[in-house]
Amino acid sequence: TGTLGSATVFPSGKILNVEQNQFTATSSTASNDYGSTATADNITISQNNSQILISVYSGMAHPDSDQINPTIQRAISGGATTDDLTGGYSDGMARIKGNFWQPIYFEWLDSPMQSKDTVITYTVRFKNSDDSTTVYFAHSNTYSRIRLTEIAV
């Protein structure tokens, strides 16, 4: 038994930290911009330059004959910049289409290149592709979550 020193560096690929936020509120929008927030969570980096695997799951989404386009945004503490991790793709991380309730799951491996003890907030946002109907990213009757997993590089 013992205590690891603050200078301990873990080898590449090791999981260092996991944060998870479950959300149960219904999230909806009829807007075609990414102003609607489904959920957010933050993680404190425990090793310099580690990567963050962002996993998002919604048990029930409903495009209502339209399409839902989710994306993830990153905000680094101490900075005013929020980055859209999709790289500018107009359909975001995924495109969910149909007229029925269905689950949504997507992941993104982020390399924010930040130092230890930096707090990073990840926000899941979504939009309706054409402003014509209300789309639902999550429903209060199901389990939905965002999970942030820090991985050593």
Side-chain angles (χ1 to χ4, degrees):
T1 64
T3 303
L4 294 174
S6 62
T8 302
V9 176
F10 291 93
S12 179
K14 297 298 178 190
I15 294 176
L16 305 174
N17 188 7
V18 178
E19 295 290 334
Q20 180 169 295
N21 181 22
Q22 179 178 337
F23 57 103
T24 56
T26 298
S27 302
S28 64
T29 188
S31 175
N32 70 349
D33 63 37
Y34 284 114
S36 298
T37 299
T39 190
D41 201 1
N42 59 51
I43 191 165
T44 302
I45 301 298
S46 60
Q47 183 169 302
N48 291 343
N49 301 324
S50 53
Q51 294 180 317
I52 307 298
L53 177 63
I54 306 131
S55 305
V56 178
Y57 174 79
S58 172
M60 287 176 70
H62 196 296
D64 196 19
S65 297
D66 218 330
Q67 95 187 19
I68 298 172
N69 302 112
T71 191
I72 300 171
Q73 292 182 326
R74 175 182 64 204
I76 297 172
S77 64
T81 304
T82 299
D83 294 319
D84 179 355
L85 298 182
T86 63
Y89 293 108
S90 62
D91 285 344
M93 297 280 179
R95 179 169 63 178
I96 296 83
K97 192 172 178 92
N99 193 20
F100 50 90
W101 289 99
Q102 57 188 306
I104 297 175
Y105 180 79
F106 56 96
E107 291 183 317
W108 188 266
L109 184 60
D110 187 27
S111 300
M113 303 301 292
Q114 295 297 308
S115 59
K116 179 181 175 180
D117 297 325
T118 299
V119 177
I120 302 175
T121 301
Y122 292 95
T123 303
V124 178
R125 297 189 184 276
F126 65 103
K127 69 178 183 176
N128 174 329
S129 63
D130 69 4
D131 269 344
S132 65
T133 61
T134 299
V135 296
Y136 299 87
F137 183 81
H139 192 280
S140 60
N141 293 332
T142 63
Y143 170 81
S144 299
R145 60 131 174 97
I146 180 173
R147 181 181 300 138
L148 308 175
T149 305
E150 181 183 8
I151 303 168
V153 292

